Amino acid sequence: MRKVTVNGLLARKLRLALTALAIVLGVTFVTGTLVLTDTLNRTFDNLVGTAYQHISFEVRGKAVFGSNTVSGTAGRRPIPASIATAVRGVPGVAYVDPQVQGYAQFVARDGDAIGSAASALGFSFDPNRQLSAVRLVQGSPPTTGQDVLMDKGTATKYHFTIGERVRVVSGRSPQMFTITGIVTFGSADNLAGATLAGFALPTAQDLFNTRGQYDTLNVLAKPGADNISLQRAIAKLLPPDVQVVSGQTAANELTSAISNALSFLSTALLVFALISLFVGAFTIFNTFSITVGQRTRELALLRVVGASRRQIFRSVLAEAALLGLAASLIGLGLGVLAALGLKALLGAFGITLPSAPLVFEARTVVLALAVGVGVTVVSAIGPARRAVRIAPVAALVDHHEEEPESVRRRATAGSVVAVGGIVALVAGLAAPAIALVGIGAVAMFIGAGMLAPIVARPMSSVLGRPLAAILGTPGRLGRENSMRSPRRTAQTAAALMVGMALVSALGVLGASLSASAKSNLDSAVTADYLITGPNSGFSTSVAPAVARIPGVAVVTNVYKGQFELGGTLSGIDGVTPAHLSQTVHLALTAGRGAPALAAGELLIDTTTASAKHLSVGSVAPVTFAQTGASKITIGGIFKTNPLIGSYVVGAPFFISHFHNPLPIAVLVSAQPGASHVGSAINNYLNVYPNVGVKSRAQFEQSQQHTLNQELGLVYVLLALAIVVALIGIVNTLMLSVFERTHELGLLRAVGMRRGQVRAMIRSEAVIIALFGAVIGVIIGTALGVAFAASLKSQGITEIAIPFASLIGFLILSAVLGLAAASWPARRAAKLDVLAAIAAD
Amino acid sequence: MIEDDEMSQTEQGPASPAAHGVELTKTYGTGDAVVRALDGVTVEFERGRFTAVMGPSGSGKSTLMHCMAGLDVPTSGRTFVGDHEIGLLDDSELTDMRRDQIGFVFQSFNLVPTLTAAENITLPADLAGVEVDQAWFDYLVQALGIADRLSHRPTEMSGGQQQRVACARALIRRPELIFADEPTGNLDSSSSAELLEFLRSSVTEHGQSIVMVTHDPRGAAYADRVVFLADGKVVGELLSPTAASVLAQMMKLGS
């Protein structure tokens, strides 16, 4: 039987090659994702290792609430400078390096900020350089308050040299500095794409508002010292809210934070890879069904000659396994190449990474092969079971018929699976439980695939009617062909159905997000202009300066931070209470608004009020990183708005409870009748290249733009699934052209022109594609609405159905179907008439 | 196309043949493995006549028919349908010629499975985008006894019924020439006789020209003339054949 299996595969190379392509693409995606994230993990591990290699201990403020973010300083207070002196006095300590860091971004000569605000690192440079991985490769260390060190990457790219002046933006007003030296991080030109700005310690303390304090102390132990007792000795000196950890511990914390972020990325990408494989599974199922049907005689002959049912079953599955193995191996190779491509794609979206050799682990190989072979074999089980039911007598009968289908059995089974899937999906959305959503979606699609043949014939008839009318006989024949085998039509279209459903769901989700964002903005913000900058905040001098611009009526600072209320970590906003209603709209349902803020009270939204059983006048226990535990009174309750957040306090209260608070936005309201206010603000902001002003309409537009960009990325990731679905259609058409060789020969003999043959095949393809797309769009719209509805608490307050886009998707499917038909159509038209008639 | 009133005499056909081939050769392969399917065949198929082409397997009779019908291209020589030299036509023109001027009946699988009998019959006209002669359609369907089968698909008909539908399709546009390749090969004897009777009558009563490839002497007996092929050459001819005379001729050629 082995020879039969292998020979069987080789005989149908071309036919199976297309099927294999679906698996190759899916495995490529999986491999690429795994290789990419492994490589990224290794890269960052190395970086962190480099940063911490000389550090024996790290002294820092204790984390008030545990939020292990990559920036590392969340929830930690700075420590007083006196501690450094105390630690230096501990015997066994060789060296203590105090560290201060924060946001500091270079400005290029043309006035634009360099790099992104999220990765502009400013730090204090220790001239002794014993503990830092930052290396001075040119020039001299910064000594005065005017000196700065620049990373080599920035210096090279933007042509800065030692002795030149450069503007730096930070939480303070922008300042000019003189470049005294060029630095690298270890051997890299920058820190994983982040720019580096090094200052003398006092300068850094000034810039980041930590005068008389440090963020951390890096401690080097004397060689031969007993680290454990040394750590204990240091700990004895520290006040209760300061701790000392080993360098290894600090490094591990950082590594695991990065690794968490990366695993989120890798999971997201793998989900798309699995979607492609799921779609590919439909294609494989279809192909194997068709080839088993075509080989009925051959398989029946094997049964006549004595092969058992089990042997037939195993042979079909073995074929699938071999095919899956070959495809997976190819996918592995391509996946490594794809990892490089994905890196570039991420770079295009602003995530620049250092170049490093790719990490190819054994786990990747095992997973890729398991997934590739697994999907292929599982998809082939159904057809294998059908192969087993072929009666030996089929080898001797001239004309074999397709086994008649029990419509009722299919309808029942399909309905059960589909309904079960929908229930799981809804339950998963309500919970929320992502795994349940995934399982529910898979079951629903499988159920839909099982039910599709029931509607295939009537729908093909309807969809094909215009084609028959326009194209005449070829159109009519194409329509008849798609109606002749509803199961075949439905199975071929199923893959596209899944793809189009996902695309449509995304469309609905995107439209809902857009609509919600707009309505959220409109209902929360009454200001005419919004000034925004980096997430770490921008200079406090912006607001007062803007207030002085003629025509400006009200200026409101907006701060964002984190705190704990009743044991839960949450975000909190701080806004200037004066004239608040002119820039921010708080729809109060109870209590007071701005007056409460001015009195140092807390405003909460309706959702929080009911969830935590709080009302106006309640006193709640809160904890702030800077000031510790305290209590606060609820002054008012407002209608929930995702843009505003759940907790609001007045700006003065915020400033007194956070370390170095910087506004993340300034809202401006203009005097009635004032003109050119926007351009005046814009002119002023030329001094702050990292801050920009937008009118409300412009802000909305840029929100949409960002949203569209993100959606675009997801569409691209889904595009692979669509490609796999189309490959399935091409494959089926090729197989069916082969199957109908005699019939095509007959048509040509009787006088059908080549062009008419092509038109016939094309109409078939368009009908199949539209069939899948129509069902897919309907399912997808429902799916999208369900998703959007479940995300109501996350900010999707409106559900919008983009009818124009959905119709566009349908038209696109028809066009894609046409494209898929081009090769099979040409093949069919080029058939040698004589050979075709002679064929069986 | 032939007009009914032109063809009252069955004694003599008009001057130009329905189809003829001049010095046709068809070779496959090269060097030592060369196969000469046709080796210099010159033959005429008369208008308004029923001609049978016979020969043992490998004699080239099917190849000859394929070349004459424009389904295959001879290695050398010229082929004509009516006055048109086929070798000069491109694929589109050949296809149109097959659609408008030639009718086909094959041994089996003659019909498009997705079409009803009626649709199969009108297929050449539908491909051309023209209407069929409804009176002629009704007559054919009656004469062939398939009037009650018109809305059925091929899978719902017997082999004999399918062949009769194929005949109707071949005749519906009154082509210059009908090529029948072993049309009774898969039929039982009574269905065969019915089919051949009908072909005969279409020649006698309506002046249709038919060329039939067969190896059955009883089938050949329905023809006006039999052309014998062997080893790619015309080796004999018989006018007004009977089953006995055909058999005798075949045995003579065989020795």
Side-chain angles (χ1 to χ4, degrees):
Chain A
M1 283 303 288
R2 204 184 321 138
K3 199 143 200 298
V4 168
T5 305
V6 174
N7 282 3
L9 268 180
L10 294 175
R12 293 186 299 279
K13 279 196 291 268
L14 180 60
R15 280 184 258 170
L16 293 175
L18 274 176
T19 321
L21 191 56
I23 295 293
V24 168
L25 287 174
V27 171
T28 301
F29 203 158
V30 169
T31 308
T33 302
L34 291 173
V35 169
L36 181 69
T37 45
D38 285 345
T39 306
L40 288 178
N41 260 316
R42 178 77 62 82
T43 308
F44 285 116
D45 279 0
N46 287 345
L47 276 173
V48 171
T50 308
Y52 278 90
Q53 61 185 301
H54 297 302
I55 297 175
S56 310
F57 306 107
E58 187 178 274
V59 176
R60 72 236 181 140
K62 281 205 187 114
V64 177
F65 20 84
S67 129
N68 193 9
T69 66
V70 180
S71 67
T73 51
R76 290 190 205 279
R77 295 171 50 192
I79 56 183
S82 51
I83 297 191
T85 324
V87 173
R88 274 196 194 98
V90 174
V93 167
Y95 188 76
V96 171
D97 174 23
Q99 273 282 302
V100 172
Q101 57 197 50
Y103 159 68
Q105 195 172 10
F106 290 114
V107 178
R109 285 194 197 83
D110 60 5
D112 286 338
I114 291 178
S116 76
S119 52
L121 206 57
F123 62 99
S124 56
F125 183 76
D126 176 29
N128 282 322
R129 289 173 267 158
Q130 286 196 41
L131 300 181
S132 174
V134 174
R135 223 163 282 165
L136 188 64
V137 294
Q138 254 193 297
S140 50
T143 43
T144 73
Q146 311 291 326
D147 297 343
V148 74
L149 299 173
M150 179 182 278
D151 62 279
K152 188 160 175 225
T154 306
T156 318
K157 195 167 168 200
Y158 290 88
H159 311 296
F160 281 103
T161 52
I162 295 176
E164 268 194 77
R165 309 251 294 161
V166 65
R167 189 135 51 100
V168 174
V169 288
S170 62
R172 308 238 126 194
S173 318
Q175 262 180 271
M176 291 300 269
F177 287 86
T178 311
I179 302 173
T180 59
I182 308 287
V183 291
T184 60
F185 187 87
S187 56
D189 281 355
N190 55 31
L191 180 57
T195 60
L196 298 168
F199 305 93
L201 185 57
T203 320
Q205 284 175 308
D206 205 36
L207 264 181
F208 307 127
N209 206 13
T210 47
R211 282 198 206 89
Q213 297 171 314
Y214 305 127
D215 285 318
T216 55
L217 297 178
N218 292 335
V219 180
L220 178 64
K222 284 206 177 104
D226 173 13
N227 279 3
I228 300 176
S229 52
L230 188 53
Q231 186 168 346
R232 237 182 280 138
I234 296 175
K236 277 211 204 94
L237 295 173
L238 304 175
D241 56 351
V242 180
Q243 67 182 177
V244 56
V245 296
S246 69
Q248 190 59 49
T249 308
N252 289 347
E253 280 170 2
L254 194 53
T255 312
S256 77
I258 294 174
S259 158
N260 280 346
L262 281 178
S263 79
F264 176 73
L265 174 69
S266 126
T267 306
L269 288 176
L270 280 176
V271 163
F272 284 102
L274 289 176
I275 288 176
S276 300
L277 280 170
F278 179 58
V279 170
F282 279 88
T283 300
I284 295 171
F285 175 83
N286 198 22
T287 305
F288 271 85
S289 291
I290 296 175
T291 51
V292 161
Q294 285 175 347
R295 291 165 63 200
T296 300
R297 260 229 190 129
E298 173 196 329
L299 292 166
L301 186 61
L302 286 171
R303 297 271 285 123
V304 165
V305 158
S308 73
R309 286 195 174 172
R310 180 181 278 185
Q311 283 174 314
I312 300 273
F313 187 75
R314 289 225 197 102
S315 172
V316 175
L317 282 188
E319 263 194 53
L322 279 176
L323 184 71
L325 187 64
S328 301
L329 287 172
I330 297 177
L332 265 177
L334 289 179
V336 172
L337 292 174
L340 292 166
L342 278 174
K343 245 172 109 175
L345 187 67
L346 288 173
F349 280 87
I351 310 171
T352 45
L353 303 161
S355 58
L358 294 178
V359 172
F360 191 61
E361 278 190 33
R363 178 267 262 124
T364 306
V365 176
V366 168
L367 211 60
L369 289 180
V371 157
V373 174
V375 167
T376 317
V377 170
V378 165
S379 313
I381 289 181
R385 286 188 31 212
R386 205 173 309 142
V388 158
R389 281 188 254 133
I390 293 176
V393 74
L396 311 166
V397 170
D398 222 7
H399 182 55
H400 51 87
E401 295 187 8
E402 237 184 60
E403 90 180 26
E405 258 261 296
S406 162
V407 172
R408 194 140 44 99
R409 204 150 51 100
R410 174 176 280 273
T412 339
S415 307
V416 166
V417 174
V419 168
I422 294 176
V423 166
L425 189 71
V426 171
L429 285 176
I434 298 272
L436 199 56
V437 169
I439 294 175
V442 165
M444 185 188 67
F445 281 125
I446 293 180
M450 290 169 77
L451 292 171
I454 299 176
V455 294
R457 182 167 280 157
M459 271 192 74
S460 302
S461 170
V462 167
L463 289 168
R465 202 162 293 164
L467 283 169
I470 300 172
L471 294 173
T473 304
R476 187 153 52 91
L477 283 170
R479 175 170 169 249
E480 296 285 336
N481 280 333
S482 60
M483 288 168 65
R484 121 173 29 184
S485 172
R487 191 163 64 185
R488 169 87 61 92
T489 301
Q491 278 171 0
T492 311
L496 192 61
M497 171 191 79
V498 174
M500 277 302 160
L502 293 173
V503 167
S504 307
L506 187 65
V508 169
L509 208 58
S512 302
L513 277 169
S514 274
S516 300
K518 181 175 189 329
S519 88
N520 286 342
L521 184 68
D522 283 342
S523 58
V525 173
T526 52
D528 299 305
Y529 299 97
L530 296 92
I531 299 175
T532 52
N535 276 346
S536 48
F538 52 86
S539 170
T540 45
S541 35
V542 171
V546 169
R548 286 195 288 273
I549 294 177
V552 168
V554 176
V555 165
T556 305
N557 271 317
V558 178
Y559 299 86
K560 271 199 198 302
Q562 282 188 319
F563 81 130
E564 250 183 23
L565 182 130
T568 330
L569 188 66
S570 313
I572 185 170
D573 287 12
V575 290
T576 320
H579 308 291
L580 187 63
S581 57
Q582 292 210 36
T583 52
V584 176
H585 176 63
L586 288 172
L588 289 167
T589 60
R592 310 174 299 163
L597 293 178
E601 293 173 348
L602 177 67
L603 297 181
I604 59 179
D605 65 14
T606 45
T607 323
T608 312
S610 58
K612 292 203 184 288
H613 310 292
L614 294 168
S615 50
V616 177
S618 309
V619 175
V622 293
T623 312
F624 291 92
Q626 181 76 355
T627 57
S630 59
K631 289 205 192 315
I632 197 169
T633 313
I634 310 292
I637 303 177
F638 59 95
K639 203 153 140 251
T640 308
N641 185 305
L643 210 60
I644 297 177
S646 303
Y647 301 97
V648 185
V649 288
F653 181 93
F654 190 98
I655 292 171
S656 62
H657 285 76
F658 281 85
H659 163 64
N660 194 24
L662 299 173
I664 55 127
V666 171
L667 304 177
V668 178
S669 153
Q671 283 161 2
S675 58
H676 308 302
V677 175
S679 41
I681 301 178
N682 207 13
N683 282 337
Y684 166 72
L685 287 177
N686 281 335
V687 190
Y688 294 91
N690 56 343
V691 179
V693 63
K694 294 194 173 73
S695 70
R696 211 161 77 218
Q698 286 172 330
F699 188 78
E700 197 185 292
Q701 268 179 1
S702 78
Q703 266 190 331
Q704 297 281 16
H705 182 65
T706 312
L707 188 63
N708 289 342
Q709 269 190 328
E710 290 164 1
L711 283 178
L713 177 57
V714 183
Y715 276 123
V716 165
L717 291 171
L718 277 181
L720 184 63
I722 302 286
V723 167
V724 171
L726 285 177
I727 289 174
I729 295 184
V730 174
N731 201 24
T732 305
L733 281 175
M734 287 296 272
L735 285 172
S736 106
V737 161
F738 175 80
E739 225 173 38
R740 285 183 276 153
T741 303
H742 181 90
E743 189 183 316
L744 287 166
L746 177 67
L747 285 166
R748 289 276 288 137
V750 158
M752 189 179 237
R753 289 212 192 172
R754 286 201 173 134
Q756 289 173 313
V757 171
R758 284 194 290 266
M760 180 177 80
I761 305 287
R762 285 193 190 125
S763 10
E764 255 183 87
V766 168
I767 293 174
I768 292 175
L770 277 178
F771 173 70
V774 166
I775 298 187
V777 166
I778 293 175
I779 293 180
T781 305
L783 207 61
V785 168
F787 261 123
S790 76
L791 289 174
K792 196 141 191 233
S793 57
Q794 314 277 36
I796 303 190
T797 47
E798 297 206 5
I799 298 184
I801 299 183
F803 287 106
S805 297
L806 293 178
I807 293 181
F809 291 145
L810 287 177
I811 296 178
L812 179 66
S813 302
V815 170
L816 290 175
L818 213 63
S822 45
W823 186 23
R826 257 184 308 142
R827 252 305 183 74
K830 269 208 237 144
L831 280 179
D832 178 56
V833 183
L834 202 52
I837 306 176
D840 195 355
Chain B
M1 305 294 174
I2 306 167
E3 295 301 320
D4 252 339
D5 45 295
E6 242 180 56
M7 296 287 49
S8 40
Q9 315 100 302
T10 55
E11 278 306 318
Q12 56 182 88
S16 76
H20 69 281
V22 180
E23 279 303 315
L24 294 174
T25 65
K26 179 78 185 178
T27 51
Y28 302 101
T30 51
D32 282 347
V34 109
V35 171
R36 274 183 224 288
L38 293 178
D39 200 359
V41 170
T42 300
V43 68
E44 258 187 31
F45 297 115
E46 295 168 284
R47 208 175 279 276
R49 289 276 188 258
F50 192 157
T51 315
V53 176
M54 294 194 72
S57 56
S59 58
K61 60 186 191 296
S62 288
T63 312
L64 175 63
M65 197 193 78
H66 294 156
C67 288
M68 296 302 306
L71 291 171
D72 199 0
V73 177
T75 312
S76 71
R78 305 163 76 192
T79 42
F80 295 81
V81 169
D83 296 320
H84 309 288
E85 181 166 356
I86 305 183
L88 303 176
L89 301 178
D90 67 22
D91 183 79
S92 288
E93 290 164 332
L94 267 178
T95 307
D96 289 354
M97 188 199 71
R98 287 200 301 272
R99 184 186 69 195
D100 303 331
Q101 290 163 6
I102 300 182
F104 286 101
V105 182
F106 299 108
Q107 182 169 353
S108 59
F109 302 119
N110 263 298
L111 307 178
V112 179
T114 49
L115 300 178
T116 62
E119 288 166 342
N120 265 294
I121 295 172
T122 59
L123 185 57
D126 291 338
L127 287 171
V130 303
E131 294 289 325
V132 302
D133 179 347
Q134 191 58 43
W136 183 232
F137 178 93
D138 293 335
Y139 167 78
L140 283 177
V141 156
Q142 271 296 93
L144 284 162
I146 48 175
D148 58 340
R149 286 289 179 200
L150 285 179
S151 59
H152 290 207
R153 297 249 153 91
T155 48
E156 296 159 347
M157 296 189 270
S158 70
Q161 287 162 337
Q162 287 184 35
Q163 290 299 75
R164 279 180 273 157
V165 171
C167 271
R169 179 192 67 215
L171 282 156
I172 192 66
R173 302 197 72 194
R174 293 194 239 223
E176 287 274 343
L177 191 52
I178 292 186
F179 283 108
D181 189 355
E182 312 262 14
T184 58
N186 279 3
L187 300 179
D188 60 56
S189 50
S190 62
S191 306
S192 297
E194 274 178 21
L195 194 76
L196 291 166
E197 276 294 342
F198 179 80
L199 291 177
R200 175 76 250 174
S201 72
S202 72
V203 172
T204 313
E205 291 168 32
H206 304 289
Q208 185 67 54
S209 314
I210 299 184
V211 174
M212 181 176 74
V213 166
T214 183
H215 61 266
D216 180 13
R218 282 167 302 181
Y222 284 82
D224 296 311
R225 171 173 156 245
V226 181
V227 174
F228 292 93
L229 287 179
D231 297 323
K233 295 192 193 25
V234 176
V235 295
E237 187 181 87
L238 195 58
L239 294 173
S240 305
T242 64
S245 62
V246 168
L247 200 52
Q249 180 77 315
M250 279 175 70
M251 291 181 63
K252 191 161 64 159
L253 291 170
S255 59

